Amino acid sequence: MVGESGKQVFCQAAGYAQLEPVRIPARTDTVYDLASLTKVVATTTAVFLLRDSGAIRLDQSAADFIPLGALGNVTLAQLLRHTAGFTASNRFYKLVSTTDELISWYASEGFDVAPGNRYQYDDAGFIILGKVIEVAALQPLDDFCRREIFRPLAMHDTAFNPGPELAARCAATELCAWRKLTRTPLPSLC
């Protein structure tokens, strides 16, 4: 999409919303997975909204909100900066299936390096931040983000775990044999 002076001058879709088992062309209203952009768009924004409201402090331990065992001295700032000390190469998604299991697993495993000593991009820190947000906001992360971020910014097609009405327009993201995930064809797109 291209705009000029507040007006749309070009809008066209290219590529496919799904490749297997059949190819389905993308449309201009196809919804795509934001993947790691969720860290910036939702989680970081939610943390700073809660900080601004006084519900959390960035120098506060994540253990003030959730049980972290050996990870108890990790601050929210370290989780945000990817300096919590987690090993990014851990394929935790093959070992756990819930956020609580992930937190328990990391709490028992400890750190690769002491918190604050090295930058190492990881997903686990932001998953833990999501749980902190839920506790501090007293509501699920998706509800908080919808109410405090997505609606005010008119991001109507942005959601965690989209419902059927939005899912019908979502592009397929993977076909994963080891998790036995398959994607059924989207409805015919006109």
Side-chain angles (χ1 to χ4, degrees):
M1 180 175 291
V2 177
E4 182 180 333
S5 302
K7 295 182 181 178
Q8 178 181 309
V9 295
F10 176 81
C11 183
Q12 183 176 339
Y16 295 93
Q18 177 177 300
L19 295 174
E20 294 182 24
V22 296
R23 288 183 178 217
I24 298 174
R27 300 182 343 175
T28 57
D29 67 345
T30 298
V31 178
Y32 294 90
D33 184 351
L34 292 177
S36 285
L37 289 176
T38 303
K39 293 176 179 74
V40 177
V41 175
T43 310
T44 301
T45 304
V47 165
F48 281 94
L49 287 171
L50 289 168
R51 186 217 47 191
D52 291 351
S53 74
I56 64 171
R57 295 184 330 275
L58 297 182
D59 63 349
Q60 201 167 2
S61 170
D64 290 348
F65 301 92
I66 55 178
L68 286 175
L71 308 179
N73 59 340
V74 174
T75 68
L76 302 182
Q78 289 167 333
L79 292 170
L80 281 167
R81 293 183 190 128
H82 297 288
T83 59
F86 300 136
T87 302
S89 62
N90 282 331
R91 295 180 173 238
F92 60 82
Y93 55 87
K94 289 187 175 183
L95 304 170
V96 300
S97 56
T98 68
T99 300
D100 291 336
E101 288 176 3
L102 174 126
I103 292 167
S104 294
W105 185 79
Y106 268 105
S108 67
E109 288 293 310
F111 302 101
D112 184 38
V113 297
N117 288 329
R118 180 183 75 195
Y119 170 84
Q120 179 68 55
Y121 182 85
D122 66 79
D123 293 323
F126 271 73
I127 294 169
I128 291 170
L129 279 170
K131 192 69 166 180
V132 168
I133 292 164
E134 291 183 341
V135 172
L138 303 173
Q139 60 185 297
L141 177 64
D142 56 340
D143 291 346
F144 181 81
C145 290
R146 182 176 40 256
R147 191 185 83 240
E148 299 295 329
I149 302 167
F150 307 149
R151 281 186 189 154
L153 294 175
M155 296 170 69
H156 306 297
D157 289 347
T158 305
F160 291 93
N161 303 312
E165 68 289 341
L166 193 55
R169 293 192 290 123
C170 289
T173 56
E174 68 180 341
L175 180 63
C176 184
W178 67 264
R179 283 193 281 179
K180 301 194 178 18
L181 291 179
T182 57
R183 175 76 182 208
T184 56
L186 292 171
S188 293
L189 302 176
C190 303

